[in-house]
């Protein structure tokens, strides 16, 4: 009997200790996650989204205790990635890394309402674009570029992530304001466009501050201006297009994560909290700031949902006004 009592006591102590340890690493009160996550990136490797998502995904995998796979599905200005994500199970294991271009495609190129098809998860960053040229283009300022472009209408080429993309609309606006005529070369993503720009196959493009930082520092690209309304701390020497050749010009981009519509709210809240903490951690925040990007302040799922809806509504109104023009 004494032996049985000792055995029971040991089992009780073991059970109490195991309970005190709590759930396995990465498993919250919802039991999520229990398997690898996949983040669908709506641009090709090497683009701004890709470079922003990968370090965040690496840290997220460490925090959750499961693998986080980055799956690039560039093409059609983000529509391919949107379709892959919306057809996935709404369980939190498939996420879409989107940008302003996804919001734009949602009101111009798809048959569904992205405000209903996707559940907003978290706002990651906000950043302007860099106006960059290949070093072979003999200009060093926005004014010199406009002078050159006007002397060679229909000769200089620019790359974008596709027709109707934010890059494309932004360059159309630039040409309209400056009276220049450039040649559009569409790609399946900003990454491939950047590769061709580095190789001299095209002359210029708008690129994110994240993807443009390294080639500018190495001298492989020349930055002429930035598209924000005011100069940014990461590139204090760069003038804005608004202060030089295009009064009032402003073009910016945001990165965020979406989930298939119907994803459980507890899962959305878990992902929102973890990813927001990572994006605002000193390691990631300082890295983004050095590249001219700003991490979004922490906000709840509900707050970001309201912001996302406003963003889509804004682009819907912008495109309606654009279509109304002759």
């Amino acid at each position: 009997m004494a032996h049985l009592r000792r055995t029971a006591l040991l089992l009780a102590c073991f059970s109490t200790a195991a309970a005190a340890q709590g759930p396995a690493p990465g498993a919250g009160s919802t039991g999520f996650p229990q398997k690898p996550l996949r983040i669908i990136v709506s641009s090709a490797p090497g683009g701004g989204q890709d470079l922003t998502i990968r370090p965040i995904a690496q840290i997220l995998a460490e925090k959750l205790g499961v693998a986080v796979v980055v799956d690039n599905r560039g093409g059609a200005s983000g529509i391919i990635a949107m379709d892959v994500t919306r057809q996935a199970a709404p369980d939190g294991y498939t996420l879409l890394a989107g940008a302003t271009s996804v919001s734009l495609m949602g009101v111009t190129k798809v048959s569904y309402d992205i405000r209903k098809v996707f559940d907003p998860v978290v706002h990651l960053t906000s950043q302007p674009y860099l106006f960059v040229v290949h070093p072979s283009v003999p200009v060093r300022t926005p004014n010199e570029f406009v002078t050159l472009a006007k002397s060679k209408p229909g000769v200089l080429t620019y790359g974008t992530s596709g027709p109707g993309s934010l890059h494309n609309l932004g360059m159309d606006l630039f040409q309209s304001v400056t009276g220049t005529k450039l040649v559009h070369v569409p790609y399946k993503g900003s990454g491939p466009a950047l590769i061709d720009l580095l190789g001299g196959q095209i002359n210029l493009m708008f690129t994110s501050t994240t993807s443009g930082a390294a080639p500018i520092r190495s001298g492989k690209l020349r930055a002429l201006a930035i598209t924000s309304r005011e100069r940014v701390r990461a590139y204090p020497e760069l003038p804005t297009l608004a202060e030089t050749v295009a009064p009032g010009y402003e073009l910016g981009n945001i990165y965020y994560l979406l989930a298939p519509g119907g994803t459980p709210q507890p899962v959305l809240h878990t992902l929102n909290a973890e990813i927001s903490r990572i994006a605002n951690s000193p390691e990631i925040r300082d890295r983004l700031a050095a590249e001219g990007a700003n991490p979004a302040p922490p906000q709840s799922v509900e707050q970001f949902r309201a912001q996302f809806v406003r963003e889509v509504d804004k682009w819907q109104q912008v495109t309606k006004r654009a279509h109304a023009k002759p």
Side-chain angles (χ1 to χ4, degrees), residues 60 121-122 267-279 298-301:
L60 181 63
V121 179
V122 62
V267 171
L268 293 177
H269 284 279
T270 296
L271 290 168
N272 173 280
E274 289 290 349
I275 297 170
S276 184
R277 275 196 291 267
I278 294 170
Q299 57 183 178
S300 67
V301 170

Side-chain angles (χ1 to χ4, degrees), residues 161-251:
S161 56
S165 64
L166 187 63
H167 302 90
N168 185 199
L169 293 179
M171 198 62 78
D172 281 348
L173 177 59
F174 172 80
Q175 294 175 83
S176 175
V177 173
T178 59
T180 53
K181 185 178 180 181
L182 309 171
V183 179
H184 180 206
V185 182
Y187 291 83
K188 290 185 177 181
S190 57
L194 185 62
I195 291 173
D196 268 10
L197 178 59
L198 289 166
Q201 279 75 44
I202 56 175
N203 300 122
L204 66 135
M205 67 180 290
F206 285 136
T207 189
S208 70
T209 54
T210 303
S211 57
I216 289 171
R217 285 195 295 264
S218 66
K220 294 179 179 179
L221 290 181
R222 181 181 301 135
L224 302 184
I226 199 155
T227 64
S228 51
R229 187 170 294 277
E230 298 178 349
R231 298 192 184 201
V232 299
R233 185 171 57 183
Y235 298 91
E237 75 287 355
L238 284 184
T240 67
L241 288 175
E243 73 182 83
T244 52
V245 295
Y249 190 94
E250 184 177 16
L251 186 68

Side-chain angles (χ1 to χ4, degrees), residues 58-242:
Q58 181 179 354
I59 299 175
L60 181 63
E62 297 170 0
K63 297 292 185 183
L64 296 181
V66 298
V68 178
V69 179
V70 177
D71 184 359
N72 293 87
R73 297 295 183 98
S77 298
I79 295 177
I80 294 174
M82 294 163 68
D83 286 341
V84 171
T85 306
R86 73 185 180 94
Q87 293 167 13
D91 53 12
Y93 290 99
T94 301
L95 303 175
L96 171 66
T100 301
S101 57
V102 167
S103 303
L104 185 59
M105 292 299 101
V107 296
T108 58
K109 298 292 185 180
V110 299
S111 59
Y112 49 86
D113 188 339
I114 65 172
R115 290 160 290 199
K116 298 178 181 178
V117 169
F118 297 111
D119 282 335
V121 179
V122 62
H123 179 188
L124 297 173
T125 67
S126 303
Q127 57 275 318
Y129 285 109
L130 295 165
F131 187 95
V132 294
V133 299
H134 188 266
S136 62
V137 180
V139 298
R140 293 188 174 276
T141 68
N143 295 84
E144 289 178 355
F145 175 84
V146 169
T147 299
L148 177 65
K150 286 183 175 180
S151 70
K152 296 182 176 182
V155 173
L156 297 176
T157 56
Y158 71 93
T160 75
S161 56
S165 64
L166 187 63
H167 302 90
N168 185 199
L169 293 179
M171 198 62 78
D172 281 348
L173 177 59
F174 172 80
Q175 294 175 83
S176 175
V177 173
T178 59
T180 53
K181 185 178 180 181
L182 309 171
V183 179
H184 180 206
V185 182
Y187 291 83
K188 290 185 177 181
S190 57
L194 185 62
I195 291 173
D196 268 10
L197 178 59
L198 289 166
Q201 279 75 44
I202 56 175
N203 300 122
L204 66 135
M205 67 180 290
F206 285 136
T207 189
S208 70
T209 54
T210 303
S211 57
I216 289 171
R217 285 195 295 264
S218 66
K220 294 179 179 179
L221 290 181
R222 181 181 301 135
L224 302 184
I226 199 155
T227 64
S228 51
R229 187 170 294 277
E230 298 178 349
R231 298 192 184 201
V232 299
R233 185 171 57 183
Y235 298 91
E237 75 287 355
L238 284 184
T240 67
L241 288 175

